[in-house]
Amino acid sequence: MSAKDIVRFLNLAAMSFLPTFSFALTETVNGVTWNYFVENDCVKVGGGDLATRAISKSTSGAIVIPDRLGGESVVMISDCAFESCTEMTSAFIPSTITNIGKYAFQNCTALSAITIPSSVTVVDHAAFHNCTSLKDALVTDGVKIIGDWSFGGCSSLTNIVIPSSVERIDRAAFYHCASLKEVAIPENMTVLDECIFQGCTSLTSLTVPPNI
């Protein structure tokens, strides 16, 4: 190997250990300005903390999350993306999304209904925690993990559909959902974590498969 080839090899090796950077970008769609990040060639709305929400905290009404920003598909709702957006009444999640991050919609106290599309596989920790006006949550077939505290404190939640694709429901996922009346656990599940329905004082029907 020549000296030139050795130098080239060392440069490539050094580059492989460099950190991957996220780049904050903005784009206005239908009058709403979105903060999004490009990381490993993937687009996610929000930057993963309260300082970089996906939209302004004061944005009100029905929100449609774009399926594309910067010409690329949006694949993730970051941690805290809509946390405490208390004027948002509904959020349309496009079928490009595969992951809903931690605290993504936490404390969205005006949010009344949500449909999680089949493209989503993970609803992460406390994603909808304390959405106190949330009445209906449709989790479509495709979701595999409902994370801990994901719907905890949703005191108005009366209806939740858990599809057969769900493999895991983590601790306290529906903690203190005091208006929840009926739940059916999918037949394929074999384990339920602790405190999942603790504080669900209106629960009158819980269907659990025989292998749990």
Side-chain angles (χ1 to χ4, degrees):
M1 182 182 289
S2 69
K4 186 175 181 180
D5 289 335
I6 292 173
V7 171
R8 183 181 299 153
F9 172 79
L10 291 174
N11 285 337
L12 289 172
M15 288 176 65
S16 67
F17 289 99
L18 289 174
T20 301
F21 295 99
S22 297
F23 299 95
L25 300 164
T26 62
E27 184 174 333
T28 300
V29 180
N30 296 326
V32 177
T33 299
W34 291 86
N35 301 312
Y36 68 99
F37 287 72
V38 179
E39 188 175 72
N40 295 328
D41 296 324
C42 294
V43 174
K44 58 182 184 178
V45 290
D49 55 50
L50 294 179
T52 51
R53 287 183 178 88
I55 57 177
S56 169
K57 184 180 176 181
S58 62
T59 305
S60 62
I63 301 300
V64 177
I65 301 172
D67 58 357
R68 298 180 73 83
L69 287 169
E72 300 292 339
S73 293
V74 177
V75 299
M76 181 178 179
I77 299 173
S78 295
D79 298 350
C80 305
F82 301 95
E83 209 272 355
S84 295
C85 289
T86 56
E87 301 300 317
M88 180 173 64
T89 57
S90 67
F92 174 79
I93 301 174
S95 59
T96 55
I97 299 292
T98 60
N99 187 294
I100 300 175
K102 300 178 181 68
Y103 314 107
F105 294 89
Q106 179 174 252
N107 295 327
C108 290
T109 52
L111 187 68
S112 61
I114 196 75
T115 297
I116 299 172
S118 59
S119 57
V120 173
T121 57
V122 178
V123 180
D124 216 330
H125 169 79
F128 296 93
H129 178 248
N130 205 37
C131 290
T132 52
S133 295
L134 186 64
K135 293 182 179 180
D136 294 295
L138 177 58
V139 183
T140 56
D141 199 48
V143 174
K144 295 182 178 180
I145 298 171
I146 298 177
D148 57 319
W149 294 88
S150 51
F151 292 93
C154 293
S155 54
S156 298
L157 186 65
T158 58
N159 182 44
I160 180 75
V161 176
I162 302 175
S164 59
S165 59
V166 172
E167 300 171 355
R168 199 177 87 206
I169 303 175
D170 289 345
R171 184 178 186 273
F174 300 98
Y175 183 84
H176 274 237
C177 290
S179 299
L180 192 60
K181 296 179 180 179
E182 297 182 11
V183 178
I185 304 299
E187 289 287 334
N188 60 301
M189 289 193 63
T190 58
V191 177
L192 285 179
D193 211 331
E194 62 183 358
C195 304
I196 289 177
F197 299 107
Q198 183 173 332
C200 295
T201 53
S202 297
L203 192 62
T204 57
S205 175
L206 177 61
T207 305
V208 180
N211 52 340
I212 290 182

